[in-house]
Amino acid sequence: MIGAVEALRACALEDRFAVAISGGADSTAMLRAALETYGARRTAAIHIDHGIRPDSAHDAAFCQQTARELGVEFKTETLALGPDASEQTARIARYRALGRICDALGIQTLLTAHHADDNLENLILALMRGSGLVGLAGIRPRIPLAAISGLNDTNVLVVRPWLDLPRCEIDRYLAGKPHVEDPTNQ
């Protein structure tokens, strides 16, 4: 089975890129694997604090500290969505903020840590909603950020190199390295 680093290496990224990091296990592993694969000079980390959970500043501080320790450029933006924001509202706002930051940094590739378990969960939810073929296609491995954010003036491409990688492989790669647990993911 292909591992976390090998899956990133297969992306053959040529330019500087950013990793969307929440502080959770998946995105923290993605940042570490990206650094191991491509080096700190080509890697930036971006954290978006949705302003939904009262303790979310802790996650932002963790991400900043992790990026500092790894020698990776770090940018963050805090949104004020409030505790009643839906997942869909948060997702769109997050991708818009990520796009703005990538554009400001001159970065055209954004990595997210979606993995095979996320893809399966997405498929099950689509089946439960009675989705058509588009919904049943699963998470796309590469998609223009404009298609998921509504930002039409960005050329950022969202790349998800771990869609074939099960979560257990990511956990194996992270192997006890620090990360935060978002209670809303439970």
Side-chain angles (χ1 to χ4, degrees):
M1 172 172 291
I2 190 168
V5 171
E6 293 83 3
L8 267 174
R9 195 170 290 125
C11 283
L13 300 172
E14 295 179 13
D15 297 319
R16 195 160 177 262
F17 59 89
V19 174
I21 180 170
S22 67
D26 303 342
S27 64
T28 300
M30 174 68 72
L31 179 60
R32 289 180 174 279
L35 178 65
E36 184 177 332
T37 306
Y38 294 104
R41 292 185 64 214
R42 298 199 31 219
T43 308
I46 304 174
H47 175 79
I48 305 301
D49 179 346
H50 298 90
I52 294 174
R53 292 183 296 112
D55 60 343
S56 61
H58 171 266
D59 298 352
F62 170 82
C63 292
Q64 183 174 25
Q65 180 62 33
T66 299
R68 183 180 303 126
E69 288 172 4
L70 296 174
V72 174
E73 181 177 9
F74 177 77
K75 298 291 182 186
T76 188
E77 185 172 319
T78 300
L79 309 174
L81 300 181
D84 296 326
S86 70
E87 283 188 43
Q88 176 72 1
T89 298
R91 185 179 70 84
I92 291 170
R94 176 176 61 250
Y95 277 115
R96 286 180 176 169
L98 288 164
R100 285 190 300 270
I101 294 170
C102 283
D103 287 340
L105 294 174
I107 289 175
Q108 293 189 334
T109 303
L110 174 68
L111 301 182
T112 67
H114 293 94
H115 48 77
D117 296 27
D118 292 327
N119 212 6
L120 178 60
E121 178 184 351
N122 190 55
L123 177 63
I124 291 168
L125 291 172
L127 284 168
M128 289 172 49
R129 286 191 304 265
S131 182
L133 290 177
V134 172
L136 297 177
I139 300 171
R140 292 174 55 185
R142 292 176 179 260
I143 186 169
L145 186 116
I148 51 180
S149 70
L151 286 176
N152 295 322
D153 59 346
T154 184
N155 291 320
V156 175
L157 180 66
V158 176
V159 177
R160 299 163 174 141
W162 285 353
L163 286 179
D164 292 330
L165 201 66
R167 170 67 192 258
C168 62
E169 273 303 308
I170 296 166
D171 290 342
R172 186 178 352 267
Y173 174 76
L174 193 58
K177 294 178 182 75
H179 63 278
V180 296
E181 289 294 336
D182 179 349
T184 62
N185 285 339
Q186 305 306 317

